[in-house]
Amino acid sequence: MSGGFAQRAREALGNQQLHIALDRTTAQLVVRRAAGLASLEDADRVRDRARASKMQLLHTLADSLRAFEARLVENGARVHWAETAADANRIIVEIATKAGVRRVAKSKSMASEETHVNGAFERAGIGVVETDLGEYIVQLAGDRPSHIIMPIVHMTREQVGRVMAQRLAVPYSDDTQTLARYARAQLREEFLQADMGLTGANFGVVENGAICLVTNEGNARMVTTLPRVYVVLMGIEKLVPTMADLDRFLKLLARSATGQKLTAYTTLVRGPRRSGDDSGPDQMHVVLLDNGRSKILAGETAEILGCIRCGACLNACPVYRSVGGHAYGDVYPGPVGSIVTPGIRGLAPFAELPSASSLCGACREVCPVRLDIPRMLLALRHEAVEHTRQPAALRMGLKLFARVASRPRLYRAATAVVRRVLRSRARDGWIRRAPGMASGWTRFRDLKAPAAETFETAWRRRAAGRTS
Amino acid sequence: MMDRKLTAILASGAERLVSCDLGCLLHLEGGLRRRGAAIKVQHLAELVDEALE
């Protein structure tokens, strides 16, 4: 990953293809989400209740995890605890090696993106294939996903067509149906050949140990039933207390993500194949991943663990819509990524992310569980300033401002000078090219010259006029 | 971001743009002016003041 957010954002802004692709999809998703939520009776109440149950659960997360583990074991699954991404990968590769696995079929999983498990498999000589259409194309292209639910939102269908033509030796097409058919033909074979299935979890239900997965392509269903070994890799925060809670979350997730009332496939897995079952894996493993989540839980941004990864905040965010997901520099992009990434990877290398926001609040508006994302971004900005050394000019400037601004007479005198300077440069009350430090402003817009009289003076005059 | 916003504002056919955020007003009015657009830009307080006069 080259440079910081600012540099990557600048590059992204100059990428015409990216803008075509982003504009096509995000605008459409925003409209669909609004229509989706409108179709839910008492949507605000559903959101409030979903939020309340998640926050309650996070409050007693350790207890919920123990209860969840007990149900999983009763259901016949084996449970593994992974403190770091490296631990998770080691555990999963070990499971695969022990079971003599040669080929792994994956369903889309952000947790597995987070640990980069594909690389770990490949290093161990185990083949791995993504079966979500978007992720499959990412894998073919040697690219990285740029959206939580739409991994290739940054690609145009023409680009996808070229990747497929090149990697699958099929005739070029930019028709989405044809492209989907190409992928389907390939993936059908992969499902049948894989001896291990790996998925994430959209939700884990504490009361019965069920793993819930939602897809629009049915690939999770194939991956959880056909291979003989099945592994779930899930973050420890993905729990919901009961099936009734799950119902609320499912209603919100699909609507917020794509505007659908329900995703095409909702898969619930409660353990490996039992005697008498026609299909299902011989063994099921659940790897519970911490990877910085406990640390997040103990800090100012604990609320972010309530995120259900719908991606609505990405589509709503004017910054994301301008720069796309790759600019955020890690697995989780957009407003949620600006909080999660510093949480799991450390704030220092990602200190710019919390500032990649105008704090307009569009993310908070659309969040199905009403996460106060702007508040958390501000908390991280605060932390970044406390822990990293700011440029000398900025520190001096702010110190000077604090001095002037806290002395009313000095402040009035100083602003009078600035007012006079600016007004002398204005024509018809506007400045086309501002001097010195203010020149950045007038690169893209005009600067309004200050009024002849300050609000304070005008107000005093008016008040005096009224009483006399 | 500003370009997208301004395009949407102009496409709406509105005669006035009202906001309660001074930073937004300065930013958007400056952008509209650079584009040569003639939409009236006001703070909410100015609008109320105008209505009360």
Side-chain angles (χ1 to χ4, degrees), chain A residues 318 321 430 432 442-446 448 462, chain B residues 1-2 4 26-27 29-31 33-34 49:
Chain A
R321 288 173 71 165
W430 287 89
R432 268 195 81 83
T442 46
R443 266 180 73 196
F444 303 108
R445 40 181 137 40
D446 293 353
K448 199 171 194 171
R462 264 176 72 144
Chain B
M1 277 163 63
M2 180 176 74
R4 187 180 294 136
L26 204 58
H27 172 64
E29 190 177 7
R33 163 106 191 168
R34 180 65 57 95
D49 185 47

Side-chain angles (χ1 to χ4, degrees), chain A residues 227-303:
Chain A
R228 59 192 165 80
V229 182
Y230 170 44
V231 177
V232 183
L233 172 62
M234 63 188 284
I236 53 173
E237 84 285 17
K238 304 244 70 168
L239 302 181
V240 296
T242 66
M243 291 297 280
D245 293 306
L246 178 66
D247 174 55
R248 275 189 283 278
F249 279 105
L250 287 175
K251 281 176 177 152
L252 291 172
L253 176 56
R255 284 176 169 87
S256 303
T258 58
Q260 292 166 289
K261 288 181 180 161
L262 202 59
T263 31
Y265 296 88
T266 301
T267 307
L268 283 161
V269 188
R270 285 189 61 191
R273 183 212 299 248
R274 289 161 299 193
S275 57
D277 283 356
D278 286 337
S279 60
D282 300 328
Q283 7 172 327
M284 173 170 167
H285 300 262
V286 178
V287 181
L288 289 156
L289 176 69
D290 185 321
N291 202 31
R293 288 165 173 77
S294 306
K295 219 172 65 220
I296 296 176
L297 187 61
E300 290 285 318
T301 59
E303 199 187 339

Side-chain angles (χ1 to χ4, degrees), chain A residues 271-459:
Chain A
R273 183 212 299 248
R274 289 161 299 193
S275 57
D277 283 356
D278 286 337
S279 60
D282 300 328
Q283 7 172 327
M284 173 170 167
H285 300 262
V286 178
V287 181
L288 289 156
L289 176 69
D290 185 321
N291 202 31
R293 288 165 173 77
S294 306
K295 219 172 65 220
I296 296 176
L297 187 61
E300 290 285 318
T301 59
E303 199 187 339
I304 201 66
L305 296 176
C307 169
I308 58 172
R309 309 279 189 259
C310 68
C313 61
L314 280 57
N315 307 327
C317 177
V319 175
Y320 178 89
R321 288 173 71 165
S322 301
V323 302
H326 289 158
Y328 292 80
D330 204 55
V331 173
Y332 298 100
V336 57
S338 295
I339 298 166
V340 170
T341 304
I344 60 182
R345 303 281 311 275
L347 181 56
F350 296 97
E352 285 174 295
L353 290 186
S355 297
S357 163
S358 68
L359 300 178
C360 72
C363 46
R364 183 176 46 200
E365 285 290 309
V366 297
C367 178
V369 283
R370 299 188 194 283
L371 301 180
D372 194 347
I373 293 170
R375 179 194 64 78
M376 290 185 273
L377 291 172
L378 280 173
L380 288 175
R381 286 183 192 184
H382 184 80
E383 200 178 315
V385 170
E386 298 267 287
H387 291 92
T388 55
R389 207 171 161 72
Q390 303 299 307
L394 182 62
R395 271 183 296 138
M396 296 284 285
L398 286 173
K399 220 177 243 173
L400 185 69
F401 177 76
R403 283 209 167 178
V404 174
S406 56
R407 289 170 178 72
R409 250 194 245 153
L410 183 57
Y411 180 79
R412 266 183 230 128
T415 49
V417 171
V418 173
R419 202 163 61 238
R420 220 165 307 138
V421 170
L422 287 176
R423 284 178 64 81
S424 73
R425 294 195 154 244
R427 272 167 85 191
D428 308 328
W430 287 89
I431 300 160
R432 268 195 81 83
R433 283 177 60 138
M437 274 164 62
S439 64
W441 179 275
T442 46
R443 266 180 73 196
F444 303 108
R445 40 181 137 40
D446 293 353
L447 177 63
K448 199 171 194 171
E453 182 178 57
T454 65
F455 176 77
E456 204 187 340
T457 348
W459 186 256

